[in-house]
Amino acid sequence: MKIHELAIKTGLTAPTIRFYEKVGLLDSRYVLRGKNNYRDYSEETVEHLKIIKRLQSVGFSLDEMTELFQEYTVDKLTISKGMELN
């Protein structure tokens, strides 16, 4: 899906989505580039952005989310960090 559709599904603006990509919250698992260099997003991206919105609503900073996603990605999510999500 293109960024406009993703923005509608998540309630975020296109510039916000691009910013999340720029700071590393949306990596190549969530943003694919076509031959025309347009961004293409999957349904997984919708869910990932909803998680980001939830984490922000409970006070997580962008840096904290980046760290959390990096730890989760390499399967090093500690019990204490996991409990912070609840």
Side-chain angles (χ1 to χ4, degrees):
M1 84 185 75
K2 301 298 178 221
I3 198 163
H4 177 73
E5 183 180 351
L6 181 63
I8 291 169
K9 286 186 174 191
T10 61
L12 297 169
T13 65
T16 298
I17 295 167
R18 288 186 196 104
F19 174 75
Y20 289 157
E21 181 182 357
K22 182 179 177 181
V23 298
L25 289 173
L26 291 177
D27 59 25
S28 60
R29 291 172 295 173
Y30 303 105
V31 184
L32 302 175
R33 295 280 185 157
K35 290 182 182 179
N36 57 7
N37 206 30
Y38 286 5
R39 293 171 177 91
D40 190 34
Y41 303 94
S42 67
E43 286 298 322
E44 287 179 324
T45 310
V46 174
E47 295 308 313
H48 187 68
L49 287 170
K50 287 180 179 180
I51 290 169
I52 290 171
K53 285 178 67 172
R54 277 186 242 132
L55 290 173
Q56 279 188 315
S57 74
V58 296
F60 276 73
S61 70
L62 296 176
D63 289 337
E64 290 169 330
M65 285 188 276
T66 300
E67 180 183 341
L68 180 69
F69 292 139
Q70 286 173 348
E71 289 189 23
Y72 182 76
T73 299
V74 294
D75 202 24
K76 292 183 181 176
L77 184 62
T78 64
I79 291 173
S80 62
K81 286 212 184 258
M83 294 185 76
E84 288 175 12
L85 292 175
N86 292 328

